[in-house]
Amino acid sequence: MAYGAKPLEGPATFADIEALPEGVVGEIIDGTLYTQARPRAAHGYFEFRLLRELDEPFQLGEDGPGGWWIMSEPGIRVGGSPEFIPDLAGWRRERVPLMPNGQWTDVPDWACEILSPSTRAYDTRIKRPFYARIGIKHLWFVDLDARTLTVSELRDGLWVEVGVYAEEDDLIRAPPFEERDLRLGWLWKSLPPPG
């Protein structure tokens, strides 16, 4: 059971996710149910801060270009995967003009995963190639221990690393949000020391 893969009789369904015990989250990728414990406090706090940093300029259009739907932990359904959940995801409104009433069924244009010791291998070995197969164009990996942000773009079906930014980098411009500075140094504030 590598990466928290749960053996089942057949392809996993949404009912298998609903049957998980409290405190366990699950995703179905290519018919396999993957489970892990809920994220730790630093993970959730960084996720909140990054969403806050992107929300006003890119989703609400305040002091920025707008034009995005940006969601924290959205449940997304695409072929072969009735539920996968990036830590953060974004859809360009020119492609997806309306927020769905229920579950998202369009592939996001951007996904962000916040790596932790318990999910690092899963995020990099399972989700990263899955995101390429379904056509997510931009992928961010936030490494809380290394205090880095790795930005990748999908080109011809392969991930190309376009930047690695560290805690010391105060202001950056990272695709697909390069129209405005991202306060990377501000994002790390108030987090406990790595390790």
Side-chain angles (χ1 to χ4, degrees):
M1 282 204 325
Y3 315 119
K6 187 173 179 179
L8 301 168
E9 293 294 319
T13 66
F14 195 74
D16 295 313
I17 290 176
E18 291 176 328
L20 292 173
E22 187 174 327
V24 175
V25 294
E27 297 180 285
I28 299 171
I29 295 180
D30 295 331
T32 301
L33 175 63
Y34 295 92
T35 61
Q36 60 263 352
R38 286 236 169 255
R40 304 258 184 235
H43 178 285
Y45 187 60
F46 191 92
E47 183 179 312
F48 166 76
R49 289 179 72 92
L50 181 55
L51 177 63
R52 183 175 170 211
E53 180 72 357
L54 297 173
D55 182 53
E56 287 186 10
F58 293 99
Q59 182 160 246
L60 301 177
E62 294 178 17
D63 205 20
W68 284 83
W69 298 112
I70 299 175
M71 301 289 143
S72 174
E73 301 181 13
I76 304 168
R77 176 186 306 256
V78 297
S81 297
E83 177 88 349
F84 72 94
I85 308 166
D87 290 325
L88 293 164
W91 293 259
R92 291 183 188 272
R93 289 188 191 190
E94 64 192 27
R95 193 174 62 80
V96 183
L98 299 174
M99 181 184 299
N101 286 328
Q103 191 172 28
W104 290 90
T105 56
D106 292 289
V107 172
D109 295 291
W110 166 79
C112 176
E113 296 292 351
I114 300 169
L115 305 177
S116 64
S118 64
T119 64
R120 178 182 309 278
Y122 171 64
D123 287 338
T124 57
R125 295 180 184 167
I126 301 296
K127 290 180 94 173
R128 188 171 194 249
F130 170 70
Y131 288 168
R133 277 196 312 277
I134 64 173
I136 294 177
K137 301 292 184 208
H138 301 275
L139 177 60
W140 290 10
F141 278 149
V142 175
D143 189 324
L144 294 180
D145 289 336
R147 302 277 173 131
T148 58
L149 166 65
T150 302
V151 177
S152 299
E153 288 183 0
L154 189 64
R155 297 181 188 163
D156 298 322
L158 300 173
W159 290 114
V160 176
E161 191 174 281
V162 295
V164 177
Y165 306 95
E167 179 179 17
E168 305 80 41
D169 297 320
D170 192 33
L171 297 175
I172 65 165
R173 294 204 175 205
F177 303 110
E178 59 266 62
E179 295 95 348
R180 187 168 183 268
D181 288 335
L182 176 69
R183 299 177 297 167
L184 189 60
W186 175 83
L187 290 171
W188 298 111
K189 289 183 180 177
S190 301
L191 284 180

